[in-house]
Structure formats: C-alpha cells, structure tokens
Amino acid sequence: MFRAIAAHLMMTLMLAALLGGCGDSDAPATARSPADGLTGKLTLTGSSTLAPLAAEIGKRFEQRHPGVRVDVQTGGSSRGIRDVTSGAADVGMSSRSLNADETPGLTTHTVAWDGVCFIVHRDNPVAALTNEQLLAIYTGKIDNWKQVDGDDAPIVVIDRAEGRSEVELVTHFFRITTPDIKADAIAGENQQAIKSVSTNPNAIVYLSIGTSEHEAARGVPIKLLPLNGVPASVATVLDGTFPLARPLIMITRNDTPSPLVDAFIAFATSSDVDDLVEAQSFVPIKH
Amino acid sequence: MSPSSTDTIDATRHARRRRVIDALLLAALRCAAGVSAAVVLVIAWFVAAEAWPGLRDVGVTRLLTDDAWRPTAGRYGMAPMLIGTLAATFGAVLLTAPLGVGSAVFLRFYAPRRVASVYRRVVELLAGVPSVVFGLWGIAVLAPLIATVSPLGQGQSLLAGVLILTMMTLPTVALTTDAAIAAVPADTRRGAAALGLSRRAIAWRVVIPAARAGIVTGVILQTGRALGETMAVLMVCGNIVQTPHSVFDPVRTLTANIALEMGYADDRHRAVLFVSGLVLMLLVAGLVLIAEAIDRRRVHVT
C-alpha cells in the first residue's frame, strides 16, 4: 500500500519535473503577452536553400514578438512563388529571380546572397580556369593539371553532398545534372571541403565564397579562383559582377497588406540578422 | 520512561524510515528503467514510421538493385553503401581484434609493472578521444599520408576509414580484453604455473581460452560501435557511392550518407534515409543479441 503510494508520488514528481523543464526551455521568463500588438501566424514556403536561414530568422523574430508563430516549409522556389501568389503562404522564398510572367502583384526582397567559388591549394600554380576547363574537370574529361598549364599531377575532384545549395548553383551554372559529375571524393560541411583542399595540393572543390574568403584570410593555404575574369570575393558578389552567385529572396503580395508581414520583412532585411546569414555561409546584403 | 523503551521506539522509527526511503528509491529506479526502455522503443517506432513511406513506395528490391544513388533523380540504390559499411566495419574488426588482444596480453603477462600502468592510462585516454577529433586527424594527417602511396592520388578512402575505425575501437577492445583476463580466477593461472607451463603457454593456452567469451563480447560490442560511427568516417572515407574494388577506393557508409544528406532531404529521399537508419539499427541489434548469447553461455560455464 505504502509502496504504491510512494511510487505514485514519485511518478507525479518526475512528470512534473519533466514538464516543468520543457516549459522553461520553451519560453523565457519574460512576459508572454505581445507588447507591440503583433500576433498571429506567418507561413513561409519555397526554396530549400533559403528555408534554414528563414527558420533561424523566424526563431529570432518569435523571441522578439512572443505572440507570433513563424512556420517555414520547403518545396522549392517555384512552390514558394506559386504559394504566395495563391495566398497559401504569406511569404514565398526563392533562390532564383522571378520570370516576367510571375512578377505582377508581387514584391521581392533580397535577404542574402549565395555565392560559390572554386578553390585549390595555395601552392597549385594554376591561377585561373575557364568555364570550359572547370566543366571538363568536373565531368572527368580533363584529369591532369598539366592539361590546364599546371603540374603533372592527377586532379583530385571533390564534389559536395547532393541537395546542398552549392551543388544546385554549380550544376545550374554549367547546365549539367548531378550524375554528370565525376568526383574522386564528396565533402559534406564547408570545413571538410576546406580541409580536403588545404591538405592536398592536387585537389579542387567549390564552396561558399564567404567561408572561403574568411579561411584564406586566416592563413589557411587555399586559393580562390576567379570566374570569367572576376575575382571571387564577397565584394564582387555584392556588386553583382561575380557570375556564380544568386540572390535569396522573399516574396510578398501587394494586394493584401499586413503589418505582421511588413514587420517580418523589415526584420529579415535588417542588420539584426547578419550573423544568422553568415552562420549559414551566405553573404549579408548591404543595409 | 526507561532508557531502553526509548531505544525501542527509536529503532522502530528508524526501521520505518528506512522502509520509506527504500520504497522511494525502488520507485525512482523503476521510473528510470521504464524511461530508458521507453526511449528505445519510441526511437525504434519513430524510425520505422518515418522509413515506412520509403519501404512502401520504393521497395526493398529497388533499394538493393537500383544502379545508382541519385535520390533527387529518383534512383535509390543503397547496396554499395551497405557493402561500404560492412567493408569498413569488418576491415576494422580484423585489425582491432588481434591488436587489442595482443596489447592486453602484453599488459598482463609481459609488461613490467610500471610500463603496464603508464600504458593502461594511455589506452584509457585514447578510448576517451571524441570521434570528431579522430576525423580531423584523419583528414589532416592520415589521408595525405595514404595519398602518397595511393594510385588514385588522394587518400580519402576505404583504407583511411578502416584505419580510423581501428584506432577508435582498439583501446576499448584492449580494455575489455584486459578486464576479461583479469576476471579469470587466479587459481587457474597458478595451477598452470604449478604444472610448469611457460608464460606463453599460460597466456595463450590457458588464460585466453578461459577469457574467450568476455573477449568476444567486447569485440562484438565494438563492432557495433564501428557500424554506427559517423563523423570520423564521413571525414576520411571520400563518400563516393560505389562498390569498392580496392582499399584505395573512396566509399560511403550508411551513417555518412544520413549525415551528409538528411539536412537537405525531403519527402521520399528523407524516408529512404530513414530506411538506412532502420537497417543500421537492425544490424546493431543483431550484434547485441549475439553478444548477449555469448555472455549467457559464459555464465553457464563458470
């Protein structure tokens, strides 16, 4: 009898502790009532490239406006444009510019830039590669550096994991599909890509320009290759001259103005989210 | 009231309090055990539920026979990754088992006391190194080293994965073997010595056979760890989806595949990744059952 009661008590206590713990981590001790009057739910759909960043921005927005819920769903840029046009989403996300027939009644807001460059080891004598040479290297038609005026050494081609935004950008740029790429290794995270090249003078990989520039400045032995004669840097991405870059945009409807959507877009394009943009290896916009 | 009656009351009170504490402790332990069991069941159920759309829409046959792994193009051939996983794991076990047992025998039978104590600390330290550190070391030191001898000109390969997994599992196998040898009754060893057997005969003919079940259990549990290892393998294996034809070929393991693609996968691609998670869980569960069976047999023998 006593044991049963004790067990019961214990159970209740543990449950309470568990639930209490959950509640605490969910909501900070600050007042829950919306001080600024912003309440409601915001739905974003579209580009899977932009979605992780949008989710982070959404989280920070929710912290500042406790009455707001931000729901981010993926499904591709086309879905984002379609959903915001139809009203299924409040904000569409796209990692490509809109076609002419998609624009009426919509406003686009660039929230970040996605720029990708090719890097080689600093000791690699090759200073630049043409688009044709890069394409030939990545499709396995050129496999020795001497074919592109480098040393007599095999080219170690490193690709990125399928589904990453870098892959999408590069395959789109060269008008190829992922099965066309003949790689010697595949790198996941940016740091792995950097390490694969900084430890192998014959390797080549592509990754975020922001991360590459940062690592090169830190003294990691890598070299950013120019593209079409344009040096790879955050600056050339921002002024629109670097060819392997694209804006990440949020799209809103003109006919249904909403203070909540306006506040969210203003926040997403403010310098308050620059650190989130950089954490996702994108380039923040100029404010 | 006499002092003796106060004592009796005190004693009764004490006994009652102890019973209450015992009851509370028992309840707490029951809760803890229940929660651990529930967590495993919930995870298994969740993985199975998430994997189900993949099994239903793609089917086991296609998962095993599709000619390539191109999930965004609707091709889901997982067989090369299953082979890569097994090759890396069993390659590592083939190296770990003899090296681990050898190092434990050295510790117990040959090493001078002081050397043995230092050596044991070093092995324990090695067992505590996080896998991502092994991965970094592998990509920065081991892979370039292999690149100098590889015909492919780069070192991220099955060989690198096998060596890294060997380094990760070796210390624990050495420690479990050491413990298994220590658990052999001292009488057994003394009896063998009294028969005038050489040190080598005592080690390999008497003590090791007596400790066999414990040694094998340790090796099997480490096989499970090698199967599930992700970060280090992801960093050194090269991650090309292909059936390896030489140890220098890059391979992708099922764990690396999940880590590489889960962040960017949706719908069917995601479900198929959960299928590979399910396969890994079943493999590890099978190994644990084998280890359990061996362990039980040992209890009956002694």
Side-chain angles (χ1 to χ4, degrees):
Chain A
M1 167 71 191
F2 203 103
R3 259 174 45 172
I5 294 176
H8 219 91
L9 229 136
M10 204 61 209
M11 213 52 148
T12 322
L13 270 174
M14 284 184 83
L15 261 174
L18 243 144
L19 292 177
C22 291
D24 280 347
S25 63
D26 245 21
T30 50
R32 283 202 114 171
S33 64
D36 46 19
L38 279 179
T39 52
K41 191 179 163 203
L42 207 54
T43 306
L44 285 76
T45 68
S47 161
S48 55
T49 304
L50 181 48
L53 171 61
E56 290 299 315
I57 294 176
K59 248 183 247 166
R60 190 172 283 181
F61 191 71
E62 283 172 351
Q63 276 169 12
R64 302 204 178 174
H65 308 280
V68 178
R69 288 273 307 125
V70 181
D71 182 25
V72 178
Q73 296 166 16
T74 56
S77 299
S78 300
R79 179 186 168 193
I81 298 164
R82 212 165 51 233
D83 282 356
V84 71
T85 312
S86 72
D90 303 298
V91 178
M93 300 177 290
S94 173
S95 48
R96 62 172 172 83
S97 309
L98 272 60
N99 302 328
D101 59 324
E102 291 171 330
T103 40
L106 299 177
T107 309
T108 61
H109 317 266
T110 301
V111 293
W113 286 84
D114 181 16
V116 167
C117 63
F118 290 85
I119 65 168
V120 293
H121 195 276
R122 197 167 53 198
D123 298 341
N124 192 322
V126 173
L129 292 165
T130 66
N131 293 351
E132 291 70 34
Q133 287 170 333
L134 282 169
L135 179 61
I137 287 172
Y138 267 84
T139 50
K141 295 189 182 75
I142 291 181
D143 58 8
N144 195 303
W145 284 108
K146 74 177 175 201
Q147 290 166 277
V148 290
D149 303 326
D151 296 335
D152 181 9
I155 302 179
V156 175
V157 179
I158 299 172
D159 194 17
R160 306 300 301 277
E162 193 160 340
R164 293 184 66 96
S165 78
E166 297 96 330
V167 180
E168 198 183 306
L169 199 53
V170 164
T171 50
H172 187 253
F173 182 76
F174 287 122
R175 295 196 178 78
I176 55 176
T177 56
T178 48
D180 297 329
I181 296 179
K182 304 278 179 285
D184 297 309
I186 294 175
E189 295 303 314
N190 288 333
Q191 277 310 322
Q192 194 187 352
I194 298 258
K195 275 274 180 313
S196 300
V197 165
S198 66
T199 58
N200 190 336
N202 301 322
I204 179 168
V205 73
Y206 55 92
L207 79 159
S208 143
I209 286 187
T211 310
S212 309
E213 207 177 51
H214 179 73
E215 293 295 316
R218 269 186 51 215
V220 176
I222 55 169
K223 183 161 63 179
L224 284 67
L225 298 179
L227 211 56
N228 294 352
V230 182
S233 75
V234 167
T236 56
V237 169
L238 279 178
D239 66 22
T241 53
F242 193 75
L244 202 50
R246 58 183 174 179
L248 301 177
I249 54 188
M250 289 189 180
I251 310 155
T252 54
R253 260 189 325 279
N254 301 337
D255 56 350
T256 49
S258 141
L260 179 58
V261 171
D262 291 347
F264 182 75
I265 293 294
F267 181 67
T269 52
S270 72
S271 56
D272 289 0
V273 299
D274 281 357
D275 57 325
L276 299 179
V277 173
E278 279 168 358
Q280 300 282 336
S281 305
F282 298 134
V283 178
I285 55 170
K286 280 188 239 172
H287 301 289
Chain B
M1 223 183 262
S2 71
S4 70
S5 76
T6 329
D7 277 357
T8 326
I9 291 172
D10 263 5
T12 337
R13 204 175 282 154
H14 254 123
R16 191 179 301 154
R17 205 155 101 207
R18 234 186 6 239
R19 265 209 307 281
V20 173
I21 292 174
D22 273 354
L24 282 176
L25 191 65
L26 184 66
L29 289 177
R30 275 185 182 157
C31 280
V35 167
S36 330
V39 164
V40 174
L41 288 178
V42 165
I43 291 176
W45 180 78
F46 174 79
V47 171
E50 291 283 336
W52 172 241
L55 286 170
R56 185 190 55 205
D57 297 345
V58 183
V60 178
T61 339
R62 272 193 60 201
L63 289 174
L64 290 177
T65 57
D66 266 11
D67 60 338
W69 174 260
R70 291 290 171 193
T72 50
R75 287 147 81 197
Y76 301 102
M78 269 184 0
M81 291 186 279
L82 191 59
I83 295 169
T85 302
L86 295 177
T89 303
F90 289 106
V93 171
L94 283 181
L95 289 178
T96 297
L99 287 174
V101 173
S103 112
V105 168
F106 166 73
L107 259 183
R108 285 278 160 195
F109 294 97
Y110 294 96
R113 189 176 289 261
R114 192 164 307 161
V115 174
S117 132
V118 173
Y119 185 85
R120 195 170 285 132
R121 293 287 164 280
V122 171
V123 172
E124 278 165 4
L125 191 72
L126 201 59
V129 174
S131 69
V132 70
V133 175
F134 276 109
L136 272 177
W137 181 83
I139 200 171
V141 180
L142 186 61
L145 212 63
I146 294 175
T148 57
V149 294
S150 167
L152 300 176
Q154 68 111 10
Q156 296 185 22
S157 58
L158 175 60
L159 180 63
V162 165
L163 292 180
I164 283 286
L165 284 176
T166 302
M167 292 188 56
M168 295 180 67
T169 51
L170 181 58
T172 316
V173 167
L175 292 174
T176 51
T177 304
D178 189 47
I181 292 177
V184 172
D187 284 351
T188 310
R189 203 192 294 194
R190 283 197 208 105
L195 287 173
L197 294 180
S198 69
R199 180 144 57 168
R200 196 175 65 190
I202 297 175
W204 296 106
R205 294 286 171 79
V206 177
V207 176
I208 295 290
R212 195 178 53 206
I215 295 171
V216 173
T217 308
V219 170
I220 288 179
L221 289 178
Q222 284 310 296
T223 310
R225 181 171 177 219
L227 264 180
E229 176 48 44
T230 308
M231 273 320 290
V233 167
L234 165 68
M235 292 173 89
V236 301
C237 276
N239 302 317
I240 300 285
V241 183
Q242 62 178 4
T243 307
H245 295 290
S246 95
V247 290
F248 294 114
D249 280 348
V251 293
R252 187 185 293 190
T253 64
L254 289 170
T255 48
N257 189 45
I258 296 174
L260 277 171
E261 297 187 354
M262 192 49 103
Y264 312 95
D266 43 18
D267 301 340
R268 190 177 291 181
H269 183 187
R270 187 165 177 275
V272 172
L273 290 182
F274 270 101
V275 172
S276 42
L278 198 62
V279 170
L280 281 168
M281 274 185 82
L282 291 177
L283 284 175
V284 174
L287 284 174
V288 170
L289 285 180
I290 294 174
E292 189 83 356
I294 293 171
D295 223 28
R296 194 162 298 148
R297 215 174 52 195
R298 173 171 61 167
V299 171
H300 283 307
V301 167
T302 47

